[in-house]
Amino acid sequence: ETGVTQSPTHLIKTRGQQVTLRCSSQSGHNTVSWYQQALGQGPQFIFQYYREEENGRGNFPPRFSGLQFPNYSSELNVNALELDDSALYLCASSLPGQLITQYFGPGTRLLVL
Amino acid sequence: AQKVTQAQTEISVVEKEDVTLDCVYETRDTTYYLFWYKQPPSGELVFLIRRNSFDEQNEISGRYSWNFQKSTSSFNFTITASQVVDSAVYFCALSEGEGAQKLVFGQGTRLTINP
């Protein structure tokens, strides 16, 4: 049990729409990272938040944006959805005092039609 | 640049066989961390192990063991006496520097254990 939860579990959207994915971790998890995992691929780093500030970003366009809130929850927003955005989106959090290891939530499967 | 290569896309063995999953990494940093994660069909990535670049000691945890060799930039994972429940996709990952840095994952190895 990682203490990291994500919602929703599955989502279907159409091209051009916007989507918000949510992640919740336990108290004290200061760092949250988001990853995109396309079918048959390894996860790709989208961005990371530390104490509500963006702390690193991968090779993703600006239509991928995020927020981290004081209650340790986080959001991933994707605007102008494209078919290639269909993937499993994973949220990961680090434990206080153990920043190096990231523990993952169950993910949200997004299908863009 | 960071890179992780898992050359074995799929492995299929019969239960109770030993199996080794290969991982080769590239990094320019002297301080880095290597990880193995397991991804069952449910999709959640389960943390298995972390090693830092200064600790080449091999580790054993039950039926699992890990062989870290800096000379060959490899971090291989062996499952002894495999079981059907070991069936999953296994990912090797790398992060550089201190703190919660981004993870760079390999493509994964799909392991199927047949009864």
Side-chain angles (χ1 to χ4, degrees):
Chain A
E1 183 62 46
T2 65
V4 181
T5 59
Q6 292 186 244
S7 63
T9 55
H10 296 80
L11 201 52
I12 300 175
K13 292 285 189 179
T14 56
R15 195 170 46 184
Q17 285 188 312
Q18 178 267 343
V19 68
T20 297
L21 310 182
R22 294 180 173 82
C23 173
S24 180
S25 53
Q26 293 179 346
S27 175
H29 289 219
N30 293 328
T31 303
V32 64
S33 302
W34 286 89
Y35 293 80
Q36 179 196 67
Q37 185 179 16
L39 195 62
Q41 304 293 317
Q44 299 288 318
F45 175 73
I46 302 175
F47 45 58
Q48 182 183 88
Y49 279 81
Y50 176 67
R51 293 184 176 177
E52 303 167 46
E53 301 267 343
E54 187 175 293
N55 184 41
R57 188 177 183 92
N59 189 26
F60 280 81
R63 60 188 184 84
F64 285 78
S65 63
L67 287 171
Q68 185 185 26
F69 301 101
N71 65 354
Y72 305 104
S73 65
S74 173
E75 287 182 358
L76 164 64
N77 298 290
V78 187
N79 293 322
L81 283 167
E82 300 177 359
L83 298 180
D84 285 348
D85 296 334
S86 296
L88 177 66
Y89 289 86
L90 294 159
C91 163
S93 187
S94 305
L95 296 175
Q98 298 182 45
L99 291 179
I100 295 164
T101 300
Q102 296 183 40
Y103 296 90
F104 286 80
T108 294
R109 293 190 185 274
L110 173 65
L111 177 61
V112 182
L113 300 175
Chain B
Q2 302 165 282
K3 185 178 179 182
V4 175
T5 302
Q6 294 180 255
Q8 304 151 309
T9 306
E10 294 191 34
I11 298 176
S12 181
V13 300
V14 177
E15 199 172 20
K16 298 184 183 176
E17 285 186 17
D18 298 347
V19 58
T20 296
L21 310 182
D22 297 333
C23 172
V24 174
Y25 63 92
E26 294 177 29
T27 177
R28 294 177 183 171
D29 267 23
T30 56
T31 300
Y32 55 89
Y33 297 84
L34 297 164
F35 304 79
W36 276 95
Y37 285 87
K38 174 182 180 180
Q39 189 174 45
S42 61
E44 183 171 349
L45 281 169
V46 178
F47 167 73
L48 296 178
I49 190 171
R50 180 192 84 211
R51 302 303 283 170
N52 70 52
S53 53
F54 300 108
D55 183 3
E56 287 192 72
Q57 195 169 20
N58 292 329
E59 182 157 338
I60 298 174
S61 176
R63 297 184 297 106
Y64 296 172
S65 63
W66 291 269
N67 185 333
F68 176 28
Q69 292 194 343
K70 287 179 74 171
S71 60
T72 56
S73 297
S74 65
F75 185 44
N76 297 336
F77 172 30
T78 297
I79 302 175
T80 303
S82 60
Q83 299 177 2
V84 173
V85 292
D86 296 327
S87 297
V89 180
Y90 290 85
F91 290 96
C92 180
L94 165 72
S95 71
E96 292 177 341
E98 297 293 339
Q101 304 296 330
K102 71 172 185 179
L103 289 168
V104 174
F105 286 85
Q107 293 283 80
T109 297
R110 179 176 298 278
L111 176 63
T112 301
I113 311 296
N114 299 296

